[in-house]
């Protein structure tokens, strides 16, 4: 039973369906704090300053990440104008590119298996969510997928693929740092050791490939270090060594954190992916005989060797980040493609062999999780006070019901032996389009867009925009200007490094605020609980606006 007869048809269907899921209403809600504000504002400042080498956030040096994703967003902003859609196009395009890279890895299994593997990856809940949030992680996932696939194809086949893989690895490093080379290195060295393909180490040390890597990643690192002598210590030591080995970033989670998140991250395909992993583990029983019977290290890998590679790809990445003292859910993204592909291969073979019972088992596991998630969405509004209860209750009822239906219906179809793949794919799309309706509601409580709209008419070219004891990172993006930050003790959070390096005048304390308030036209944004402090400072003001949904924040003016 073959879903597609050609790679052209399968790829066309993949790109069409995922484009619908990712790009539909992509700009339909405000930038969500803090990440979307940050990763939109830095590119805006690059365009405004003309400096595409030194990343800056609110006018000060910001070296937590390399530059590639900033370039991608800045290019989108220049091409399409400043908007939420422009800011998110790079992450959605990266998600599509990563799914296509997954397809390339699975192409040798046939167009149907490759399509299903890429579709399962592209419609996995975590992958889908990060296709809609402007973060560096999705771009890293795409570039690392390309580097893994191309280097694997290059080591076991043509050298040009290896060279392109090195270039893609350079893009990974430019996107999120040294993990772009460390993680592929760990995966390939482990795979080579377990398959005893020792000569591939020599092939992998390719002068052309190394030059391609350095040609992509080297120029920016050279220029940024030359322009900023303080970059190297902060980026390589603080942001790599210390963040990984200590709790300096306050992101500690237990070692099993990613394993607990994984079942939800893989919805609506969790059961199928689990079956694919189990099937791949079973395939390893042939590994020893395949290795012993191989004549040359450059031979095409056996299915057992490919299964080992995909298992290592996922396991090494998850284990690496599980050992870190700093954990965030998006770190899992680069591990999703091999898991999705294993699920797709299993599903394709199950249908080809008409093993509907096995397919139904995977769909059944998924259905249980989807029912639990749907029930949680329905009851959650009654147990929270962060969002508008009435609006959330209506949305939760609709999205929760759709979630339950999208879990149960594919299972029923599989049990009836009808068209479980087609119905499963349709259900996945419907589920994700329903989940997309959650983003606008989250943005009401987590985006300063409405507040910025209230402030915009109050701001003149000579006005000073002030944020008191906070930093709403999307405010500068929406107002197209840097803002003055007021804090006590010189602690500006993630901006502290840049502040201490440059000591700009738009970073001040309450005493400096008093002087500015008397001398200039000011528009100030603050939480209502700080209003008493403003009164104690003796500042005369008028309340010009307030957004009850966004922390109740207020706008004060002095003229």
């Amino acid at each position: 039973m073959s879903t597609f007869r050609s790679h052209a048809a399968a790829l066309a269907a993949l790109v069409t369906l995922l484009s619908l899921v990712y790009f539909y209403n992509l700009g339909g809600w405000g930038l969500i704090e803090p990440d979307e504000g940050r990763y939109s504002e830095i590119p805006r400042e690059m365009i405004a300053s003309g400096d595409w080498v030194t990343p800056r956030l609110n006018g000060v040096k910001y070296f937590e990440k390399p530059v590639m994703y900033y370039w991608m967003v800045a290019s989108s902003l220049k091409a399409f104008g400043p908007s939420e859609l422009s800011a998110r196009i790079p992450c959605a395009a990266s998600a599509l590119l990563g799914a296509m890279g997954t397809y390339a890895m699975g192409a040798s299994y046939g167009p149907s298996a490759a399509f299903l593997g890429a579709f399962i990856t592209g419609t996995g809940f975590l992958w889908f969510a990060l296709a809609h949030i402007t973060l560096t992680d999705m771009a890293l996932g795409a570039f690392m997928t390309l580097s893994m696939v191309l280097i694997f194809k290059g080591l076991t086949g043509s050298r040009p693929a290896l060279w392109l893989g090195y270039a893609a690895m350079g893009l990974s490093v430019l996107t999120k740092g040294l993990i772009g080379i460390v993680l592929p290195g760990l995966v390939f060295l482990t795979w080579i050791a377990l398959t005893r393909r020792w000569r591939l180490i020599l092939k992998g040390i390719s002068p052309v490939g190394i030059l391609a890597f350095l040609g992509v990643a080297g120029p920016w690192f050279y220029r940024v270090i030359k322009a900023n002598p303080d970059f190297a210590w902060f980026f390589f030591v603080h942001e790599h060594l210390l963040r990984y080995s200590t709790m300096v970033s306050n992101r500690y989670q237990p070692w099993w954190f990613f394993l607990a998140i994984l079942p939800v991250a893989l919805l609506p395909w969790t059961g199928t992916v689990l079956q694919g992993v189990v099937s791949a583990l079973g395939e390893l029983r042939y590994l020893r005989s395949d290795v012993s019977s191989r004549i040359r290290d450059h031979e095409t890998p056996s299915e057992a060797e490919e299964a080992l590679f995909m298992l290592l790809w996922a396991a090494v990445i998850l284990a690496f980040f599980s050992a870190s003292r700093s954990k965030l859910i998006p770190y899992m993204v680069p591990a999703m493609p091999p898991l999705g592909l294993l699920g797709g291969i299993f599903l394709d073979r199950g249908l080809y062999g008409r093993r509907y019972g096995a397919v139904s088992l995977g769909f059944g596991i998924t259905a249980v999780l989807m029912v639990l998630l749907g029930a949680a969405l329905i009851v959650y509004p009654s147990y929270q006070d962060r969002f508008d209860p009435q609006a959330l209750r209506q949305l939760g009822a609709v999205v929760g019901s759709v979630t339950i239906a999208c879990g149960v219906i594919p299972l029923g179809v599989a049990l009836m032996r009808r068209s479980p793949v087609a119905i499963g794919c349709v259900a996945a799309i419907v589920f994700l389009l329903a989940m997309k309706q959650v983003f606008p509601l989250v943005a009401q409580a987590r985006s300063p867009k409405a507040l910025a709209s209230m402030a915009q008419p109050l701001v003149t070219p000579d006005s000073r925009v002030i944020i008191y004891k906070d930093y709403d990172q999307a405010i500068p993006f929406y107002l197209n200007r840097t803002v003055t930050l007021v804090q006590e003790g010189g602690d500006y959070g993630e901006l502290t490094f840049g502040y201490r390096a440059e000591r700009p005048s738009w970073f001040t304390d309450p005493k400096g605020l008093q002087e500015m308030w008397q001398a200039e036209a000011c528009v100030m944004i603050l939480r209502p609980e700080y209003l008493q402090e403003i009164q104690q400072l003796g500042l005369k003001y008028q309340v010009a606006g307030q957004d009850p949904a966004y922390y109740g924040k207020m706008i004060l003016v002095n003229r």
Side-chain angles (χ1 to χ4, degrees):
M1 179 178 180
S2 179
T3 307
F4 295 100
R5 297 186 181 277
S6 72
H7 285 299
L11 267 174
L14 178 72
V15 171
T16 300
L17 293 174
L18 292 185
S19 295
L20 166 67
V21 172
Y22 297 156
F23 290 99
Y24 168 70
N25 198 33
L26 184 60
W29 57 91
L31 298 175
I32 297 174
E33 290 288 319
D35 295 319
E36 287 206 298
R38 177 190 311 118
Y39 293 116
S40 302
E41 172 58 12
I42 294 173
R44 185 201 70 80
E45 293 189 30
M46 278 188 167
I47 296 171
S49 67
D51 182 357
W52 291 59
V53 173
T54 301
R56 292 182 175 274
L57 181 57
N58 202 46
V60 298
K61 298 177 182 180
Y62 189 83
F63 295 148
E64 291 197 8
K65 300 292 185 294
V67 78
M68 186 65 206
Y69 191 69
Y70 306 144
W71 285 347
M72 293 167 65
V73 177
S75 299
S76 181
L77 295 177
K78 283 184 70 70
F80 306 109
S83 68
E84 294 90 353
L85 175 61
S86 300
R88 294 186 184 120
I89 283 175
C91 59
S94 295
L96 187 59
L97 179 64
M100 294 173 69
T102 307
Y103 185 100
M105 183 66 200
S108 60
Y109 294 88
S112 295
F115 169 84
L116 288 172
F119 188 81
I120 289 172
T121 298
T123 55
F125 189 54
L126 177 62
W127 195 273
F128 159 81
L130 292 185
H132 295 75
I133 303 172
T134 185
L135 280 170
T136 58
D137 298 273
M138 184 50 71
L140 172 69
F143 294 138
M144 190 171 291
T145 297
L146 293 179
S147 66
M148 290 287 197
V149 173
L150 289 167
I151 292 174
F152 183 78
K153 301 290 186 182
L155 287 175
T156 58
S158 68
R159 290 185 183 274
L162 178 65
W163 304 336
L164 291 173
Y166 266 89
M169 195 160 55
L171 292 174
S172 296
V173 171
L174 267 185
T175 301
K176 210 164 181 182
L178 296 180
I179 58 171
I181 191 172
V182 169
L183 292 178
L186 288 173
V187 171
F188 283 109
L189 287 174
T190 306
W191 183 76
I192 287 171
L194 292 177
T195 57
R196 301 178 188 175
R197 291 174 175 255
W198 301 110
R199 292 183 180 178
L200 293 187
I201 294 178
L202 294 178
K203 184 177 181 181
I205 304 174
S206 164
V208 176
I210 293 171
L211 286 174
F213 172 83
L214 293 176
V216 170
W220 177 75
F221 278 102
Y222 170 78
R223 292 189 64 185
V224 75
I225 291 173
K226 183 178 180 181
N228 304 276
D230 48 359
F231 170 86
W233 181 90
F234 185 84
F235 181 76
F236 292 111
V237 178
H238 185 275
E239 290 302 301
H240 283 76
L241 180 61
L242 295 182
R243 176 173 284 197
Y244 185 86
S245 60
T246 73
M247 290 187 285
V248 66
S249 59
N250 294 318
R251 294 171 179 170
Y252 174 78
Q253 297 290 348
W255 66 268
W256 44 263
F257 175 69
F258 294 123
L259 295 179
I261 299 295
L262 197 56
V264 177
L266 293 169
L267 285 175
W269 302 102
T270 308
T272 300
V273 171
L274 177 61
Q275 288 179 300
V277 170
V278 172
S279 178
L281 289 170
E283 189 71 30
L284 297 185
R285 66 184 183 274
Y286 302 111
L287 182 63
R288 178 176 293 182
S289 61
D290 289 348
V291 170
S292 61
S293 63
R294 189 181 61 242
I295 298 175
R296 295 177 301 172
D297 285 353
H298 299 288
E299 287 183 11
T300 301
S302 66
E303 286 197 18
E305 290 175 315
E306 287 208 7
L308 175 64
F309 174 71
M310 287 185 276
L311 289 170
L312 287 173
W313 179 351
V316 167
I317 290 173
L318 292 175
F320 178 86
F321 286 119
S322 293
S324 172
R325 305 302 292 274
S326 175
K327 298 180 182 71
L328 290 174
I329 291 174
Y331 295 175
M332 302 169 64
V333 166
M336 296 298 105
L339 295 176
L341 186 53
L342 289 174
I345 293 169
F346 174 85
L347 186 56
D348 179 66
R349 289 179 172 176
L351 293 172
Y352 184 79
R354 298 189 180 277
R355 294 185 287 122
Y356 289 100
V359 172
S360 298
L361 176 60
F363 280 25
I365 294 171
T366 298
V368 171
L369 294 173
M370 294 284 277
V371 169
L372 292 174
L373 175 61
L377 290 169
I378 291 171
V379 303
Y380 172 71
S382 301
Y383 295 90
Q384 61 84 40
D385 57 4
R386 183 73 186 87
F387 303 98
D388 178 10
Q390 184 62 30
L392 188 59
R393 192 172 294 113
Q394 294 174 355
L395 182 63
V398 172
V399 177
S401 299
V402 170
T403 299
I404 293 172
C406 289
V408 173
I409 291 175
L411 173 60
V413 172
L415 291 172
M416 291 187 294
R417 301 190 172 194
R418 293 300 175 88
S419 301
V421 170
I423 298 302
C425 290
V426 171
I429 292 173
V430 172
F431 165 65
L432 295 178
L433 291 178
M435 292 300 297
K436 184 175 281 199
Q437 308 312 307
V438 175
F439 283 108
L441 185 66
V442 173
Q444 287 181 15
R446 294 285 302 275
S447 174
K449 181 177 182 178
L451 201 67
S453 297
M454 297 178 204
Q456 185 70 66
L458 306 171
V459 176
T460 67
D462 298 326
S463 299
R464 182 182 291 270
V465 178
I466 301 168
I467 301 180
Y468 186 80
K469 292 191 175 180
D470 210 341
Y471 180 40
D472 306 284
Q473 305 206 30
I475 289 290
F477 178 84
Y478 284 122
L479 298 183
N480 196 33
R481 61 195 297 161
T482 55
V483 299
T484 295
L485 300 181
V486 179
Q487 283 288 358
E488 292 181 302
D491 183 4
Y492 294 93
E494 63 186 314
L495 298 179
T496 299
F497 168 81
Y499 162 71
R500 291 176 178 172
E502 301 179 288
R503 303 283 177 174
S505 61
W506 55 94
F507 286 64
T508 189
D509 57 17
K511 183 178 179 181
L513 171 62
Q514 288 179 307
E515 298 173 358
M516 294 174 182
W517 200 258
Q518 297 297 327
E520 304 175 51
C522 298
V523 177
M524 180 160 58
I525 296 171
L526 79 168
R527 294 175 183 256
E529 54 264 35
Y530 293 136
L531 197 58
Q532 186 175 358
E533 294 183 19
I534 298 302
Q535 294 168 349
Q536 291 173 349
L537 289 172
L539 305 185
K540 296 181 180 180
Y541 62 84
Q542 292 179 330
V543 177
Q546 185 173 20
D547 184 359
Y550 183 64
Y551 307 103
K553 288 200 172 185
M554 310 173 69
I555 301 173
L556 308 184
V557 296
N558 63 349
R559 298 181 187 178

